[in-house]
Amino acid sequence: MGQVHILHADMDAFFSAVEQRENPDLQAKPVIVGGVNLSNRGVVSTASYEARKYGVHSAMPIAKAKKLCPNGIYLPARHKLYQAASAKIFSILKKYTPLVEKLSIDEAFLDVKGCEKLYGSAVEIAHKIKEEVKLKTNLTISIGVSVNKFLAKLASDYDKPNGLTVIKKEDIKKFMRNLNIDNIWGVGEVFAEKLAEADIYKASDLWSYSLEELKSNYGKAGVKLFFLARGKDKREVKKQNQIKSISHEETFIDNLKNQDKIFAYLFKMSEKVSFRLHSNSLKGITVFIKVRYADFSTYSRQKSLKVALNSSQQIYQIAKKLLLKNNLLTKSIRLLGIGVSNLCQEGQEQLNLFAQTDDQLDKTIDQLKRKYGFDKISRARKLYLDQDD
Ligand SMILES: [Mg+2]
C-alpha cells in the first residue's frame, strides 16, 4: 500500500532559536549566529526567521548580512549549548525507532516501519516528537512524513517553522507537479541553468521525457532526475551516518603563487574545518592537504598524530608543514584542500596537556569575540586577507 513511514525531522533556525530561548530579550528579533570565525569575512550559520525577512540566510557572508540587516543582533556560535540541545533532541528521536540517520546537528531521517504498534502511526509519532521536543527543549521542530527520504525532506521544508506535512502516496503527483526543479536533490545552479535551456523549470516538465532521453542528455544525473521528478527514491534510512572526514577545498580564480597569501587561505580554511569538527563534537588524528597546479596535476599528503585534535591553530600548523616539507609551493596553485580524518567523538580521545592548552586558546578567542564583537578580534594571520580585499 505504500504507507508513509519515513520522517524527516529538522529543527527550525536551530542556533538562533537556542540563543532566543537562552535570552528572552532576543525573542522576535533578527538574530544572526555566525561561525567560530566571526569577522566580516565569516559566514552566517543560522538566521532567525525575523532576520530571514531581510534576506539574510545561512552561508551568506557576515558582511553582506550586515548590509541587508544592519539592526540585526550578531552572535558568535556557542556550540556546547547547541550540542546539549541536539543530544536531547536525538534521545527523543531514538525513543520512537532505532532507525535514526543523523544528517547534521539538528536534522535526521527516521524510519518508523514496525514501530506503529508501540507508538501509533507515522503521523502520530511525528505529533508526539514535536510535542516532546517542545516540552523538553522549548524549541520547535518541523517534520515531514512520506514514503521515502526525498519526499519526507521536501515535506519538512514545506511548512517551516513548526510544520508537520504529510505526503501520502496518492498526493505525490499533485505535490511534485509545481515543484521547482532546483528543489530536487542534486540540481544546483549550474544544472538548473542547463535544464532551463531545454525549458525545464518544474519537476513536471521532466515527465514527458523517457529515462533513455534523460540519460543520454544528462548522464547519471539525468537518471536520478527521472526518478526524483516522479517522487521516487529508493535510498534507505541508514542507522548511523558516520562521518569519515571533514575537509574544505577552494579553487582560486587566479592561480596562487604568493606564499603568504596561500597561508592566509590555508588558515581561513583551517578555521572552517575546525568549525565543522566543533559543530559535530568531533576530533581527528590525521590532517591531510591537497594541492592542484595549473596543469591539473594533483598531490595529497597527510600526517597522523598521537592525539586527536580539532583546533584551527593546530590544523593550520600541520597543514603548513605538510606543504613546506613536501616542497609543494614551488608552482602556482589552482586548488587547495585541507581536511581532518580518522575521526572520533570529542571526549573519547586521549587527552594531553598540549591539546588542552590549544583548546583553551580557541575558547579564549571565542570569549573575546563575544565580548568585543566579531570584527575586532581576529588572529594576526587573517589580517593579511582583510587588507588584501
Ligand atoms: Mg534545521
Side-chain angles (χ1 to χ4, degrees):
M1 211 183 94
Q3 229 187 350
V4 293
H5 62 102
I6 308 286
L7 275 61
H8 180 256
D10 185 16
M11 297 299 292
D12 303 317
F14 186 47
F15 294 176
S16 32
V18 172
E19 294 293 346
Q20 286 174 321
R21 177 193 73 181
E22 292 300 299
N23 180 357
D25 289 345
L26 299 179
Q27 260 152 40
K29 299 218 172 103
V31 173
I32 294 126
V33 177
V36 171
N37 104 41
L38 277 177
S39 67
N40 272 342
R41 293 189 60 89
V43 295
V44 173
S45 292
T46 315
S48 70
Y49 285 89
E50 295 81 5
R52 290 179 196 194
K53 285 182 194 148
Y54 294 85
V56 178
H57 56 76
S58 53
M60 173 183 278
I62 297 274
K64 189 174 177 195
K66 282 185 177 170
K67 273 189 199 133
L68 291 171
C69 186
N71 298 323
I73 298 152
Y74 292 81
L75 302 171
R78 293 196 281 174
H79 289 289
K80 284 260 156 65
L81 206 58
Y82 315 146
Q83 208 62 56
S86 172
K88 264 190 197 161
I89 293 151
F90 275 90
S91 71
I92 294 167
L93 299 180
K94 283 174 186 161
K95 261 174 55 180
Y96 292 93
T97 171
L99 267 179
V100 176
E101 180 177 335
K102 186 174 184 174
L103 298 173
S104 73
I105 188 167
D106 76 320
E107 200 184 333
F109 282 118
L110 287 75
D111 187 340
V112 298
K113 200 186 237 162
C115 307
E116 293 93 338
K117 278 204 180 110
L118 276 169
Y119 301 108
S121 71
V123 179
E124 283 165 343
I125 290 174
H127 276 292
K128 283 178 184 162
I129 289 171
K130 282 173 67 69
E131 270 167 38
E132 202 174 336
V133 166
K134 179 71 189 159
L135 192 74
K136 293 200 172 145
T137 69
N138 201 17
L139 296 165
T140 62
I141 190 165
S142 291
I143 301 182
V145 187
S146 194
V147 295
N148 61 41
K149 280 174 148 184
F150 172 59
L151 292 169
K153 191 166 160 81
L154 285 176
S156 77
D157 209 36
Y158 187 74
D159 189 27
K160 262 180 165 294
N162 203 11
L164 200 178
T165 301
V166 184
I167 304 176
K168 291 183 199 156
K169 200 162 189 187
E170 57 268 32
D171 303 332
I172 295 174
K173 208 167 178 184
K174 202 172 79 190
F175 191 88
M176 293 303 298
R177 185 173 297 278
N178 290 315
L179 191 79
N180 284 333
I181 201 79
D182 56 359
N183 283 318
I184 294 184
W185 260 348
V187 180
E189 221 173 294
V190 178
F191 196 13
E193 270 172 34
K194 217 170 156 189
L195 291 165
E197 286 169 21
D199 279 329
I200 297 167
Y201 301 100
K202 293 186 182 305
S204 51
D205 293 336
L206 286 160
W207 294 351
S208 56
Y209 290 84
S210 71
L211 179 60
E212 288 69 31
E213 282 171 322
L214 290 180
K215 192 179 176 182
S216 79
N217 292 350
Y218 309 108
K220 256 191 200 165
V223 176
K224 253 175 71 185
L225 218 49
F226 177 85
F227 291 106
L228 292 178
R230 288 164 173 76
K232 288 184 180 169
D233 176 18
K234 279 196 168 154
R235 290 166 307 155
E236 284 177 3
V237 175
K238 290 192 205 101
K239 196 171 172 184
Q240 206 46 309
N241 185 23
Q242 276 251 324
I243 305 170
K244 295 247 160 56
S245 70
I246 284 183
S247 61
H248 187 83
E249 49 180 63
E250 259 175 65
T251 305
F252 304 113
I253 299 163
D254 299 310
N255 295 336
L256 272 189
K257 184 88 198 257
N258 180 310
Q259 276 209 5
D260 287 333
K261 206 159 177 185
I262 290 169
F263 291 146
Y265 271 108
L266 192 70
F267 187 80
K268 195 180 80 166
M269 291 159 74
S270 310
E271 285 199 320
K272 284 191 178 161
V273 170
S274 166
F275 171 65
R276 281 170 55 207
L277 287 166
H278 279 290
S279 313
N280 290 288
S281 297
L282 291 168
K283 287 190 168 190
I285 59 170
T286 305
V287 174
F288 58 91
I289 51 133
K290 178 171 150 189
V291 171
R292 179 169 296 148
Y293 299 113
D295 64 0
F296 281 86
S297 58
T298 306
Y299 298 85
S300 306
R301 294 289 183 274
Q302 62 175 57
K303 182 170 175 58
S304 292
L305 303 135
K306 290 201 182 79
V307 182
L309 57 84
N310 58 7
S311 105
S312 56
Q313 266 307 326
Q314 283 182 305
I315 296 166
Y316 168 69
Q317 292 298 348
I318 293 158
K320 186 177 165 185
K321 254 187 226 159
L322 279 170
L323 286 174
L324 290 170
K325 253 181 133 177
N326 293 290
N327 256 334
L328 292 169
L329 300 176
T330 47
K331 290 193 279 181
S332 50
I333 290 177
R334 177 188 162 80
L335 174 148
L336 187 63
I338 177 170
V340 174
S341 62
N342 279 321
L343 305 176
C344 60
Q345 282 293 311
E346 222 171 346
Q348 285 169 13
E349 80 282 5
Q350 241 184 303
L351 285 176
N352 80 356
L353 214 62
F354 179 56
Q356 281 175 331
T357 315
D358 214 77
D359 281 352
Q360 206 50 55
L361 178 66
D362 268 5
K363 257 178 230 157
T364 310
I365 289 177
D366 268 3
Q367 279 162 6
L368 287 171
K369 278 177 178 167
R370 288 189 78 74
K371 197 165 171 191
Y372 299 107
F374 333 139
D375 307 336
K376 300 194 179 67
I377 311 297
S378 183
R379 286 182 186 173
R381 177 57 58 186
K382 289 241 300 297
L383 292 176
Y384 190 92
L385 280 174
D386 289 337
Q387 288 161 2
D388 204 48
D389 279 12

